Every structure is written in structure tokens, then in C-alpha cells.
Amino acid sequence: MDMQLELNVRRRGAMSGVLTLGSLDPAFEAAAHIAGEPVVLDLRGVEFVEPAGICGLAVLLEHLTGRSEEVSLSLSGWNVPAYLERMDFFKIFGGRVRTNADVASLEERERHDPGTLQELINFRTEDEIPGIIERISEILENRGYRLRERVAICSTLSEVCSNAAEHSASPCGAYAAVQAYHHIVSGSRRRGEEVLIAIADGGVGVRETLSRNTKYAEYTVTDNDALRYALKMGVSGTGEVGRGGGLTLVAQIATRSGGSLSLRSGSGRVTAYKNRKSSRIVPNFPGTFVRVSLPRTPAEKKEKDRE
Amino acid sequence: MISLNTVRIDPVPEKRAQRVFEVAGGNFGGRLMVTRRAGRAVREALAEALEGLSENGTLYVDTRGVEMMDYSFADEALGIMASRIAGGEYGDKHLVLVEEERDLLENVEASLRQRSLALIRVNEIGGEPDIVGKIPDHLVDTLKAIYDAGSITNAALAAKLGLNHTACNNRATKLAKLGLIHRRVETAAPGGRQYTYERIA
């Protein structure tokens, strides 16, 4: 019999029906015990997928396809399959994963979605990154994003992708996706626009990377210790002067505009906000995951702030 | 950033070699400068340009055509370059950044601060010099005095700053080692040596 993998999709509140990285926790746990048998991943309770969800799903499927002879996705409705199709999900996984959704009919539909800034993309090396940045920068420019916003989005993507390419040693490479929303999706719903950037890899994780530097031993006891320490200026696995500034500066860019940066790796989860950091022990994530929220401020308000 | 706030009084005495390197002009990615790998390519090109320069020459690195530069690129291209210059790898050749006061400088500033280094920056070639990065407070006045003068002997500088000659020479030597000024040695009357400090931009 096929093994059924359940997800943890909330039924109530602001995050009801949303596929987040946390939704995938039970499936990641179950994936660790699979020994070849076919599995079905049940996404029928999902109504909405954010970049974090799609990147997490990609890493999960990489794990599952390596451990199971057949992986099937159970989808319902039209919105989620259509969104996955628009995000190039089936382009990447169509050949490796079975699904009950009629992908061919989705492909014929209009693909235009002004909110998609970067479809799900898989990359392995640093030299793929300038091309990714070139392309998203052009999209942002065409959609009227101001220079400051483009710089924030592009540098977040380039720094975090570089980290993944350089340190993760992830057998499946890393996945990234960027989506813009006409309302705030992180935390409590309020007015305003928000850009979400997610990058996930199936690599060694932050604690392992920092542990290579023996002088960090006391800061890498737990995954949360390592994640908090990784956000400090100048902390890097190599320990060379000048290294370890990218993530810190990216967190600064996000938090000073009222956004946030979350890191998950192993059993750790740390989120940086403007004046505080929160950490929690969470179910194991086999790799490193970064989610950045960048709220968009209307141009008029920015002008006022400057006065 | 600390403004040097200078008014050029004397022209730089010797005409030294100048060369301009436009970062957005080469085959390095144009307006968007990201990743260490891309930074390394630019740094190698900068090293080549510096090596091709005659002694005491100044290489102006013009980043004004660049739209964005991430921290990794800034550190790899300019941070490591500044560190090699301070390490004496390029002898008496200097590097000056040509860039306006804008967000792009944040990452350059962050990289140089991490490394406790600095670069001279001008808005345009011939423009008023500023410092990007970090130098100890007590060296800022010394640097200002040298830039105000354009060219000044150790004795004159010591008098201006109210320092003894040795202390003054130590400070200026540090600035010369960081690559922020040019130091010239002249043999003076019987067996003595006189140092003259000059601005590089």
C-alpha cells in the first residue's frame, strides 16, 4: 500500500489553508523513515502556496524521490495546481512526480501573473546567480519597482543564493522563488504590499558550516545558537576577514523597512525583526531555509519620511 | 563617512600617472554586480591595471555606472584589493574610488569597516576627496591636513598639528601604508632625510 504523507495545514486564522514551510514538517519527519515504498503527499487541504511553501516542497520532493520508488502529489481544486504550474513547478518535477492534476490543461491557460517575480528555480553554482539577478532586476524595473526596492530584492536574493551555492554542499542544489502580494501576508493581515523571497537547500545546514571554524565551538552547540550567531557581522565558516557580512546586511535591509528574515536549519528557527530576534526549537529541516519579507512602502510616504 | 572638506591650495607638485577603470564598462556584468566570483574577476582586472601603472600613479576606480553591488562583490573586489594595497603588494601605486554619495556605498563601507581599512573617494575625478571605510580618529586630522596642503613636509605638518616630528611621521607613515597618501623621501642636508606627504587624488 502507498504510504500517505500528511501535512500540517492550518484550518483557522490568518494562515488557514496556506502551505508554509512549517506545513511540511510532518512530511519531512516521515520522509526520513521511507525505504523505497511508494508515497502519496496529500496537498488537498492547501488553498494557497507562498514562496516558502513551494521551495520547501521542492526540497521535500528531492528527499522523497531519492527514497521512494514512486512519489505522487494529491492536489485538489484549480488554484493550487494553476499556481504550481505558473511557478514552473511541473517543469522541474513533472517527470519525477505523479499528480492527479491535469497539467496539460493548465499549461494552455493564460500564464500572466504580475505578482510572480521569480518562478521556482533550481541552481547549483555561484556563476548561475548573476543571470538570475539580471532577469529579476529587469522584471522589477518593468513593473515599476524603485531602485531602492530593486536593490533590496536583488541583494537579498544574490547573497542568500551565494551562501547556498557556496556552503550547503546540497546534492539537489538550492531552490528559490519570489512573489509579490497586494496585501501583507506575513503575520497579521494589514494593508500594504509585500514581497516574499524564499531560498531552500537540502545541504549540510548552518551549524555544520559554522562548526568548520573551530573557534566558534561555543556558539554552535545547538542549531538555534548557530543561526543566531550566523546573523552577526563577520561570522563565517571560513573565518576569513571580510567574510560573513552578506546575511547580516540582508537582514538589516529587511528589518529596517519593517520586514523580517527567518532562518531554519536543523532543529533551529530564528527570525530577525527590527528590534528583536525570536528563536524556537522546531522539527528538523534537513538543510537551510531562508525566508525574507520586504514590505513595500508607497512612494509618497517615503518622501514624507525623508522630510 | 568623514568628509575631508578640503580646498586645494597648492597643485600636486609632480604630475603623476592617472588611469581610470570603469567597473560597469567591462565584461563583468554591467550594472548589476553580485557574487564573490564576479568580484574576483573585477579585482583581477584592477590588479592588472595597477601593475601596469607607473610608480606613484593613481588608479581611479569608477563605479558610477553600477546600479547595484552586493556585499560579497564589494568585499571581494574592493575590500580585498584595499587589504592587498595596505599589505604593500602594489608598492607606491594608489587606488581612488570614483562614486557619488549613495546607497551603493553602504556595502563598500561595510566591507572596509570589517577590514579596518579605508579608501579615498571622490564624486568625480578632481572632485573633493572623502574617506570610505574606517581609519582611527587621530589619523583623520592628519589626513585632512595633508589633503588641505596638497603637499607638505613632515616638519611643516608637525608644526600644523602641534606634534613632535616622530609622532607626526608615525601617523603619516600609517596613512601611506593604508594607501591613502603618497610619501616621498628627499635627502636633506648632511645625511638627513626629509619626508614629504602628498594627496593621491
Side-chain angles (χ1 to χ4, degrees):
Chain A
M1 227 204 74
D2 291 357
M3 185 175 170
Q4 196 84 13
L5 297 182
E6 302 294 334
L7 300 180
N8 176 19
V9 178
R10 292 203 200 160
R11 297 265 60 91
R12 250 179 285 201
M15 299 306 276
S16 169
V18 181
L19 183 77
T20 61
L21 182 65
S23 314
L24 301 166
D25 288 343
F28 271 108
E29 205 200 329
H33 309 293
I34 289 165
E37 65 271 38
V39 293
V40 179
L41 187 62
D42 187 358
L43 289 168
R44 285 173 303 174
V46 175
E47 290 155 26
F48 181 88
V49 181
E50 65 153 283
I54 200 168
C55 289
L57 182 61
V59 173
L60 173 64
L61 291 175
E62 292 281 1
H63 275 261
L64 291 175
T65 50
R67 288 172 172 78
S68 157
E69 61 179 24
E70 187 180 81
V71 180
S72 311
L73 275 187
S74 186
L75 298 161
S76 70
W78 185 79
N79 285 340
V80 169
Y83 179 72
L84 292 178
E85 162 58 23
R86 279 205 308 274
M87 290 298 278
D88 288 347
F89 177 84
F90 295 112
K91 218 185 201 173
I92 298 174
F93 288 101
R96 287 187 279 164
V97 173
R98 274 168 59 110
T99 175
N100 61 338
D102 181 4
V103 177
S105 80
L106 294 170
E107 279 170 4
E108 291 159 16
R109 304 223 181 205
E110 179 64 58
R111 292 176 58 94
H112 177 71
D113 175 7
T116 302
L117 300 177
Q118 173 64 63
E119 290 84 7
L120 182 67
I121 188 171
N122 180 233
F123 62 94
R124 284 160 195 278
T125 60
E126 211 185 335
D127 44 311
E128 295 170 62
I129 297 166
I132 297 172
I133 300 303
E134 203 84 42
R135 188 175 161 274
I136 189 171
S137 172
E138 200 183 315
I139 291 169
L140 292 168
E141 207 168 344
N142 291 338
R143 295 190 190 165
Y145 281 75
R146 297 189 305 275
L147 176 65
R148 196 175 253 259
E149 298 176 305
R150 298 205 303 271
V151 167
I153 296 166
C154 291
S155 30
T156 301
L157 200 56
S158 68
E159 293 289 6
V160 180
C161 288
S162 293
N163 281 346
E166 191 178 0
H167 306 297
S168 74
S170 170
C172 64
Y175 286 91
V178 185
Q179 179 82 31
Y181 297 96
H182 289 292
H183 56 275
I184 303 284
V185 290
S186 301
S188 58
R189 303 241 166 169
R190 46 189 205 280
R191 283 164 63 94
E193 293 178 42
E194 182 178 10
V195 173
L196 286 185
I197 303 166
I199 295 111
D201 68 61
V204 297
V206 174
R207 189 157 73 101
E208 164 100 22
T209 301
L210 291 185
S211 299
R212 289 178 195 152
N213 191 336
T214 49
K215 69 177 187 214
Y216 293 162
E218 63 177 303
Y219 306 106
T220 52
V221 177
T222 68
D223 286 309
N224 271 321
D225 289 345
L227 292 181
R228 279 176 170 269
Y229 201 58
L231 285 166
K232 284 200 197 305
M233 191 72 195
V235 170
S236 79
T238 64
E240 290 166 74
V241 181
R243 289 263 170 172
L247 189 64
T248 313
L249 290 164
V250 162
Q252 275 173 20
I253 292 175
T255 57
R256 78 180 170 208
S257 63
S260 62
L261 180 141
S262 301
L263 284 170
R264 263 193 74 171
S265 184
S267 65
R269 191 186 84 174
V270 172
T271 303
Y273 301 97
K274 199 167 195 168
N275 300 313
R276 67 192 169 93
K277 286 189 184 73
S278 75
S279 34
R280 259 177 70 182
I281 296 173
V282 289
N284 186 55
F285 178 76
T288 304
F289 164 85
V290 183
R291 176 189 187 273
V292 177
S293 145
L294 295 167
R296 289 191 73 189
T297 334
E300 318 85 70
K301 195 178 170 291
K302 273 263 164 73
E303 294 304 317
K304 262 188 201 151
D305 288 350
R306 235 174 256 151
E307 280 167 16
Chain B
M1 218 159 300
I2 313 143
S3 172
L4 293 175
N5 213 8
T6 58
V7 182
R8 183 174 286 196
I9 300 165
D10 300 316
V12 175
E14 292 170 32
K15 183 72 191 155
R16 295 198 300 263
Q18 281 187 4
R19 222 177 128 180
V20 182
F21 183 98
E22 277 186 46
V23 177
N27 302 318
F28 306 112
R31 301 176 308 149
L32 304 169
M33 298 303 203
V34 297
T35 74
R36 287 198 174 265
R37 192 189 169 94
R40 206 170 310 134
V42 168
R43 190 183 72 229
E44 280 160 10
L46 287 176
E48 206 177 297
L50 265 181
E51 276 152 18
L53 207 61
S54 55
E55 275 302 301
N56 308 342
T58 295
L59 180 67
Y60 285 91
V61 181
D62 190 344
T63 52
R64 288 175 298 177
V66 177
E67 190 172 285
M68 72 157 288
M69 196 187 268
D70 67 2
Y71 174 84
S72 294
F73 177 92
D75 185 62
E76 196 72 35
L78 298 169
I80 295 183
M81 199 67 211
S83 139
R84 300 212 167 145
I85 288 170
E89 275 184 44
Y90 299 98
D92 210 4
K93 296 168 186 177
H94 309 289
L95 189 148
V96 170
L97 187 65
V98 187
E99 181 54 82
E100 282 144 25
E101 178 78 61
R102 59 172 173 136
D103 290 355
L104 181 127
L105 280 174
E106 271 182 40
N107 285 327
V108 181
E109 178 91 25
S111 156
L112 293 170
R113 281 185 174 267
Q114 269 300 98
R115 295 174 172 276
S116 297
L117 293 171
L119 286 174
I120 297 290
R121 174 184 76 85
V122 290
N123 282 328
E124 55 194 339
I125 295 168
E128 208 175 88
D130 247 342
I131 305 169
V132 197
K134 191 185 183 182
I135 60 169
D137 287 342
H138 68 278
L139 293 182
V140 174
D141 289 341
T142 312
L143 187 64
K144 273 185 185 171
I146 295 166
Y147 273 74
D148 278 344
S151 170
I152 191 167
T153 61
N154 187 56
L157 183 65
K160 202 169 165 184
L161 295 170
L163 294 169
N164 67 49
H165 288 196
T166 313
C168 184
N169 181 42
N170 287 344
R171 288 188 186 189
T173 302
K174 275 185 196 141
L175 291 171
K177 274 200 174 150
L178 284 167
L180 305 177
I181 59 161
H182 172 57
R183 190 173 80 149
R184 211 149 43 87
V185 192
E186 281 160 3
T187 41
R193 278 199 294 179
Q194 178 171 274
Y195 291 108
T196 301
Y197 313 117
E198 291 166 0
R199 52 195 281 170
I200 57 166

